[in-house]
Amino acid sequence: MQQNNQESPTNPCNVCGSHHVSVLANHSRSGKPLRTVICNDCGLVWSDPLPHNPRSFYEDDYRVAYKGTYSPKPKHILRAGKVALYRRKLLGKWIDQPKKILDVGTGGGEFAYLLQSLGHDVNGIEPNKGYAEYSKQAYGLKVQVGFIQDIQQPDESFDLITIWHVLEHTENPCDVLTKLHSLLKPQGTLVVEVPTIEATCQSPKSTFHEAHLFNFNLDTLRKLGEKVGFTEVEHNISADGANITVFFQKNVTATKNDKELKIPGNAERIINIVNNHTAYKHYLTAWPYQRFFYRMSRTISEKCATTNFVNGKKLLDQLYA
Ligand SMILES: [Zn+2]
């Protein structure tokens, strides 16, 4: 991740439309060749060329998951259930009244089920058929199998749309946010959470991988929202600095011109953070050791909590009670 050569990208920048990029890395965390570029004009980071076609990638994934009856392991339900509780806290006032909600990338359904049990009218969409079917059967959720572009819902259907750790996996985040903008009611709220490229709590080796086609920081995510007609009303950075959550609402005026979409200084800032995040410095911080002990205690507590496992619903009902 050292050579920041000027290069031409296969596709223009998804945020600002620029063709001016530098190479940030040439390998993924698995050591395989993966060219990661950064837009010199706004700081968006992406895999160029795309390492796979996201559609076939997730469809293949679903075929593997759907051999026979898919059923997530108890420890994974428990883990996702705890994440769901964290997300409920994060949403706070935005979910204190019953709402019509869309959860994009519903996964195993743990968060959508929590919302449903709180009295909200919840719809989900999930490309992985195994997960989608499981969440429908286990929790009685309304989940469509597919990608957001395929959703069968009229425009302006939802008060709240949540999209947790999905945008970075999509081949065109601008198209995805545009679609979500049309699905949202005029006074609705969109909540987007992604990992940030500025995170330094993970090993530097883990920064780039094939599944994350795009890497944002707060500035590029906010700017992408503005591009499609959103305004940020609130944001949160997780305690470990790994994730950013932005709350967007619809703006009266839409798309900005390319000049306004540039973010001066952002690329330099990101290149600096990435290049300074070395393995040597990382092991001088508390993060790797905290992570080790956290994982060890998690394994033990998960064993205890899932000993008398009956089914996913029972487990979540206990956790959410
Ligand atoms: Zn750009």
Side-chain angles (χ1 to χ4, degrees):
M1 58 187 81
Q2 304 77 16
Q3 62 272 60
N4 301 315
N5 311 320
Q6 293 279 330
E7 297 274 348
S8 292
T10 313
N11 295 305
C13 173
N14 200 256
V15 171
C16 76
S18 169
H19 285 86
H20 304 127
V21 300
S22 300
V23 175
L24 202 54
N26 281 304
H27 291 93
S28 73
R29 69 175 170 199
S30 61
K32 290 185 184 148
L34 179 74
R35 192 175 91 135
T36 301
V37 299
I38 181 164
C39 171
N40 294 334
D41 291 315
C42 76
L44 182 68
V45 174
W46 72 95
S47 300
D48 179 86
L50 292 182
H52 53 76
N53 174 315
R55 284 212 166 226
S56 56
F57 184 75
Y58 289 104
E59 277 159 14
D60 284 345
D61 189 39
Y62 103 59
R63 274 197 284 274
V64 174
Y66 206 52
K67 268 180 191 165
T69 312
Y70 173 79
S71 195
K73 285 185 179 161
K75 68 173 180 185
H76 293 139
I77 300 172
L78 180 68
R79 229 174 264 179
K82 286 181 179 172
V83 172
L85 288 173
Y86 169 77
R87 288 174 181 171
R88 178 181 71 176
K89 209 171 148 199
L90 201 61
L91 291 181
K93 64 175 179 186
W94 303 101
I95 49 167
D96 61 4
Q97 300 287 325
K99 288 198 164 149
K100 193 162 162 55
I101 301 176
L102 172 67
D103 184 41
V104 181
T106 322
E110 297 85 358
F111 176 66
Y113 178 56
L114 173 60
L115 292 175
Q116 185 171 274
S117 61
L118 291 168
H120 300 284
D121 177 6
V122 188
N123 282 80
I125 182 155
E126 166 57 45
N128 184 302
K129 196 175 176 186
Y131 278 93
E133 294 301 332
Y134 174 81
S135 67
K136 288 200 275 189
Q137 282 160 18
Y139 311 117
L141 289 167
K142 293 179 282 182
V143 177
Q144 187 190 325
V145 181
F147 293 85
I148 187 63
Q149 292 84 351
D150 314 321
I151 195 167
Q152 290 153 358
Q153 294 284 344
D155 283 355
E156 302 191 355
S157 289
F158 300 98
D159 301 302
L160 180 72
I161 299 178
T162 57
I163 175 164
W164 310 98
H165 294 262
V166 170
L167 199 63
E168 69 275 20
H169 298 269
T170 64
E171 61 190 311
N172 192 328
C174 183
D175 282 358
V176 172
L177 288 196
T178 303
K179 181 70 190 169
L180 300 184
H181 189 276
S182 69
L183 288 167
L184 203 60
K185 288 183 187 175
Q187 305 302 323
T189 307
L190 168 69
V191 182
V192 185
E193 186 173 280
V194 292
T196 168
I197 186 67
E198 295 187 14
T200 52
C201 58
Q202 82 294 352
S203 156
K205 272 200 325 225
S206 306
T207 305
F208 303 107
H209 53 102
E210 287 81 359
H212 290 176
L213 304 177
F214 287 87
N215 296 272
F216 299 89
N217 73 346
L218 187 56
D219 291 309
T220 47
L221 180 58
R222 182 190 286 135
K223 195 60 96 175
L224 185 63
E226 287 174 6
K227 180 182 179 178
V228 306
F230 284 114
T231 305
E232 181 200 310
V233 288
E234 200 179 299
H235 74 255
N236 181 74
I237 300 170
S238 63
D240 61 1
N243 303 314
I244 45 176
T245 317
V246 177
F247 294 67
F248 287 112
Q249 287 191 332
K250 283 188 173 186
N251 201 346
V252 208
T253 54
T255 322
K256 303 206 161 198
N257 64 47
D258 283 0
K259 205 173 157 206
E260 287 176 298
L261 292 169
K262 296 187 193 315
I263 311 172
N266 199 37
E268 292 77 4
R269 173 193 163 90
I270 292 169
I271 290 169
N272 201 28
I273 291 171
V274 169
N275 285 344
N276 274 309
H277 184 43
T278 61
Y280 176 73
K281 283 186 186 163
H282 181 63
Y283 285 99
L284 288 178
T285 69
W287 289 117
Y289 314 101
Q290 277 176 2
R291 189 168 282 228
F292 173 77
F293 285 109
Y294 166 73
R295 290 212 166 137
M296 215 163 67
S297 72
R298 183 175 71 181
T299 305
I300 296 163
S301 74
E302 281 173 354
K303 269 226 158 67
C304 297
T306 56
T307 315
N308 301 312
F309 178 78
V310 181
N311 60 42
K313 188 173 179 300
K314 274 223 157 70
L315 195 157
L316 290 185
D317 285 343
Q318 271 176 357
L319 187 69
Y320 297 162

